[in-house]
Amino acid sequence: MKYFIFFSLFLTSTFSAQMSRLSDRDLYEMGKVWGLMKYYHPAVSQGKADWDAVLLQSLKDESKYAAGKMMNQWMSTADQGKFNEVVKKDHHCDSITLRNFNISWIKKLRKISPESKARLLKIAAQPKNVGSFYSNLVANSNRFSSANEKVYDTFTAEIKMLELFRIWNAIEYFYPYKYLLDHQWDDVLKKYIPIFRNIKNKRDYQSAIMLLSAELQDTHTRLENTYQYNVLGEMSSPFVFQIVDNKVLITGIKNEAKMKKAGLEVGDLITKINGKTVLKNINEKSKYFAYSNESVRIRQAYSYLFSGGKEVVTVEGIKKDGKVFKTTVERIKRVFDEEWDMNGIPNYHLTYKGKTYHYLTYNEKESRLNPSVQIEDKVYFEFSSLRVPEIPALMETYKNAKGLVFDLRSYNDNGSLIKIFDYLMNKPEHFGIMTQADFTQPGKFCFVDNIIDERYKFAGKINPNSYKGQVVVLINEYTQSAEELWAMIFKKVPGVIFIGSQTAGADGNETSIKLTDGNRMIFSGLGIYYPDGGETQRIGIKPDIIIRPTVESIRNEEDLLLLKAFEVIDQKK
């Protein structure tokens, strides 16, 4: 594809006094105008212009031209560009929501001419021939795609400002949950312009990107290539752990020699790290990580709580026998991708009526956990291991069980598992709707009356012989995304009881923004809702009975959630 280039592009490798004449307000207006034209102007949105080059050259030439003149030139030159006639596609929307869409800011622009302001208002209010070069390249797809974004091997002030504008505008027009943020997205742009313009080195950049991504308040949000080691330190603890009651409980060993040297054991409870409470450490470091709700903020702490650049860390706490300790621990090098045990969850068992049951049993032949186990008149389903072909036989086998417990604390995104509800429901149930971006009107979202696809609009079927016993569902902060969708469907099962704690509050497909260095920032790309429009994002699924692990239950590796589920079933007549 050939581009018409508005300005020649020359890059520099220094961060000295660049963009010095442009005020933060100038850059704010430039970022907003540049993004609107990128996604709405016919020539630009169709990829007929190298829109990165336009911005980069303007930032380089800021000493020659005022911000207003540069933006007026953008509009004038873009309007001279050629573009194709675009036939608007029918998205089969039930309705369009405008809660993420607001163009009133155009009228408040200070720098551009009245003619350019009127032109911006027209292309936004009366969109026509809007292309999807920068937003949606896949035929018949409802998902944002930034595959055509350019990657740069240089590191300059202009490119980093481009980075901010690229990320901010992608979220501005294509993040379905923008309206749920605790802050105004415009204020985020204002906040990060001085942060990005003061970037001096790679660590500054990585820190800025992590802080910006956290502003999405979306547990799906992360960087494809993890940065936190450079920002927070590449050393970590020689043990795995769980956070319980705002304290750290050691649940496993990574380096036995360092543990022995520090006098630490599995079961030790750490109350302070480097003289600060565990919660204070979390408060200081969680700003670098996106989380939808408080349950995930605590969950995510495993990723950074013992991170640091120094080789040792001081910890204080309490032994299992009640004795207080304070010791110095030698950290180990952290290799994130090799940490299969990153959440520190022990191999729980069930203590029920004086007997111990190991319900998580591994099937070596099939390389998975066994999907079900019967204990007396109750059945436990490890939902992440369940396979569609075995559902009919399993449900026939367990049709007379007093209770069925479905564990959603792991992950399974196989939509075909919806077949399980043919046996749990006596009639079809409409379980959810979604919003998807309208790429012909960026910032507007289309409501669709299904989630998975039209074939799976309803769960269950007419079945007078559906299961009549008690159904219980186990959830906690690890219940996320597809598992939260399954939880939404389980809500339709008659008499179902949810046990555990608030889920992650992050649903919708994972979508990415390509960054200037080729990395990607992930975020939720579809909006997922109950049929009445109620949200799960940030809220998650709330249990009917709140049960959380305790220090003693984790030390003893006892599953309190499953125990409570069995007790609830026993109470049913």
Side-chain angles (χ1 to χ4, degrees):
M1 175 177 291
K2 295 182 178 180
Y3 298 92
F4 66 85
I5 306 297
F6 300 150
F7 307 101
S8 59
L9 175 61
F10 299 97
L11 297 179
T12 177
S13 60
T14 176
F15 271 75
S16 52
Q18 297 176 35
M19 294 183 285
S20 58
R21 288 186 59 190
L22 291 171
S23 68
D24 288 356
R25 176 72 193 192
D26 290 338
L27 290 168
Y28 168 76
E29 291 197 6
M30 290 172 68
K32 296 270 287 183
V33 171
W34 180 82
L36 179 69
M37 293 183 67
K38 175 178 181 176
Y39 292 122
Y40 265 95
H41 192 283
V44 179
S45 64
Q46 291 182 25
K48 307 297 184 181
D50 186 338
W51 207 233
D52 281 10
V54 170
L55 177 64
L56 292 171
Q57 192 61 46
S58 293
L59 295 175
K60 277 183 61 66
D61 290 345
E62 56 92 19
S63 62
K64 300 178 184 178
Y65 307 104
K69 185 174 182 180
M70 287 189 286
M71 289 186 282
N72 291 334
Q73 180 64 29
W74 294 352
M75 185 65 67
S76 175
T77 312
D79 280 348
Q80 296 173 31
K82 296 181 179 180
F83 58 86
N84 301 323
E85 292 292 324
V86 176
V87 178
K88 191 171 181 179
K89 297 178 181 178
D90 182 5
H91 290 294
H92 303 292
C93 284
D94 291 327
S95 63
I96 292 287
T97 174
L98 304 181
R99 56 192 172 191
N100 272 339
F101 185 74
N102 185 350
I103 57 174
S104 63
W105 59 270
I106 298 175
K107 297 179 181 179
K108 301 174 185 177
L109 292 171
R110 302 175 183 176
K111 301 292 184 176
I112 67 173
S113 67
E115 293 78 14
S116 293
K117 191 180 295 188
R119 179 71 177 120
L120 284 173
L121 283 168
K122 183 176 181 180
I123 64 174
Q126 303 173 36
K128 187 178 180 182
N129 297 314
V130 174
S132 57
F133 181 81
Y134 291 109
S135 60
N136 177 243
L137 307 172
V138 184
N140 300 317
S141 169
N142 58 10
R143 302 188 177 193
F144 174 81
S145 170
S146 60
N148 277 343
E149 295 286 10
K150 295 175 70 175
V151 173
Y152 300 86
D153 57 8
T154 50
F155 188 80
T156 70
E158 293 87 3
I159 286 176
K160 295 316 155 195
M161 193 56 63
L162 164 67
E163 183 90 281
L164 173 60
F165 290 175
R166 180 185 291 183
I167 295 169
W168 187 89
N169 279 289
I171 298 303
E172 168 76 354
Y173 293 104
F174 299 105
Y175 180 43
Y177 301 120
K178 188 183 70 173
Y179 72 98
L180 285 175
L181 297 176
D182 291 339
H183 40 257
Q184 295 296 315
W185 192 237
D186 271 13
D187 291 340
V188 172
L189 181 57
K190 294 173 184 176
K191 175 182 176 180
Y192 280 85
I193 283 171
I195 293 174
F196 272 70
R197 77 185 300 167
N198 288 322
I199 287 173
K200 298 295 189 296
N201 51 49
K202 190 172 182 180
R203 187 189 180 283
D204 287 349
Y205 165 66
Q206 293 172 344
S207 176
I209 287 290
M210 289 182 67
L211 289 168
L212 177 58
S213 69
E215 299 283 358
L216 294 186
Q217 297 178 307
D218 175 19
T219 305
H220 270 154
T221 301
R222 66 183 186 280
L223 299 171
E224 194 170 58
N225 299 317
T226 305
Y227 280 146
Q228 63 253 45
Y229 299 155
N230 292 341
V231 175
L232 297 172
E234 61 182 8
M235 309 295 287
S236 189
S237 65
F239 50 79
V240 295
F241 59 88
Q242 280 276 276
I243 299 175
V244 54
D245 297 334
N246 294 326
K247 301 175 183 66
V248 168
L249 183 63
I250 298 176
T251 57
I253 298 172
K254 294 181 186 176
N255 187 301
E256 189 171 358
K258 292 184 185 295
M259 286 280 287
K260 187 175 182 180
K261 187 175 181 179
L264 293 176
E265 303 171 295
V266 170
D268 287 348
L269 188 68
I270 295 172
T271 57
K272 289 187 177 181
I273 304 168
N274 285 333
K276 300 177 182 178
T277 65
V278 171
L279 187 58
K280 188 168 185 179
N281 275 275
I282 292 173
N283 290 340
E284 289 177 353
K285 296 180 180 180
S286 61
K287 65 183 179 181
Y288 289 105
F289 297 86
Y291 50 88
S292 300
N293 55 43
E294 182 65 14
S295 67
V296 179
R297 187 173 85 100
I298 302 301
R299 184 194 86 185
Q300 296 287 69
Y302 189 94
S303 298
Y304 58 78
L305 195 52
F306 288 92
S307 295
K310 296 181 180 179
E311 293 187 356
V312 297
V313 60
T314 300
V315 299
E316 302 172 49
I318 305 168
K319 293 281 188 181
K320 283 194 284 187
D321 61 7
K323 291 183 179 179
V324 175
F325 68 86
K326 181 176 182 179
T327 185
T328 298
V329 183
E330 293 181 358
R331 289 180 167 126
I332 61 174
K333 276 266 190 175
R334 185 132 190 225
V335 185
F336 187 86
D337 291 335
E338 295 179 6
E339 293 186 356
W340 62 269
D341 57 352
M342 65 171 296
N343 56 30
I345 297 176
N347 184 15
Y348 285 127
H349 61 259
L350 172 68
T351 302
Y352 174 66
K353 294 183 178 180
K355 295 182 180 179
T356 298
Y357 298 92
H358 293 277
Y359 58 91
L360 294 175
T361 56
Y362 193 74
N363 188 318
E364 294 284 353
K365 183 178 180 181
E366 298 182 1
S367 300
R368 62 166 175 158
L369 291 171
N370 287 311
S372 67
V373 59
Q374 183 164 4
I375 298 175
E376 295 187 357
D377 56 356
K378 291 166 281 292
V379 179
Y380 168 84
F381 283 93
E382 207 292 304
F383 197 74
S384 68
S385 299
L386 192 60
R387 294 176 181 172
V388 176
E390 62 198 1
I391 289 175
L394 287 174
M395 294 306 295
E396 174 63 25
T397 300
Y398 301 137
K399 65 182 181 181
N400 295 319
K402 185 174 183 180
L404 305 179
V405 181
F406 291 88
D407 194 341
L408 300 186
R409 293 175 290 180
S410 295
Y411 190 81
N412 192 327
D413 62 355
N414 181 359
S416 298
L417 285 174
I418 199 169
K419 185 177 180 63
I420 192 75
F421 298 100
D422 290 350
Y423 300 88
L424 301 177
M425 297 175 180
N426 56 22
K427 63 179 181 177
E429 293 283 357
H430 184 206
F431 57 87
I433 59 178
M434 71 174 177
T435 58
Q436 58 192 40
D438 183 343
F439 295 99
T440 66
Q441 305 178 87
K444 299 179 183 180
F445 285 79
C446 164
F447 268 110
V448 181
D449 69 349
N450 64 76
I451 293 179
I452 301 173
D453 61 37
E454 185 64 32
R455 294 172 300 163
Y456 298 132
K457 179 177 178 178
F458 296 94
K461 65 180 182 179
I462 298 295
N463 181 9
N465 298 315
S466 62
Y467 178 71
K468 300 299 190 296
Q470 178 64 55
V471 176
V472 179
V473 177
L474 307 183
I475 57 173
N476 65 3
E477 66 273 19
Y478 292 97
T479 305
Q480 179 173 322
S481 195
E483 295 307 293
E484 291 181 291
L485 175 57
W486 291 124
M488 290 174 67
I489 304 175
F490 270 108
K491 284 279 187 182
K492 296 293 184 178
V493 174
V496 67
I497 295 175
F498 281 70
I499 293 176
S501 54
Q502 182 184 28
T503 63
D507 209 347
N509 71 301
E510 290 190 349
T511 302
S512 68
I513 306 165
K514 187 192 292 186
L515 306 185
T516 56
D517 63 357
N519 196 3
R520 293 179 184 273
M521 181 183 291
I522 312 297
F523 67 99
S524 296
L526 298 175
I528 305 298
Y529 304 89
Y530 290 107
D532 64 359
E535 287 108 352
T536 58
Q537 184 73 9
R538 301 198 66 192
I539 300 169
I541 311 297
K542 294 184 177 181
D544 301 298
I545 300 172
I546 297 175
I547 297 289
R548 294 185 178 91
T550 65
V551 171
E552 287 307 309
S553 72
I554 296 176
R555 278 175 170 165
N556 297 329
E557 299 183 356
E558 294 176 338
D559 191 342
L560 296 186
L561 276 68
L562 182 56
L563 175 60
K564 186 62 178 179
F566 276 24
E567 290 174 350
V568 166
I569 293 169
D570 283 339
Q571 292 169 5
K572 295 293 179 178
K573 295 182 179 179

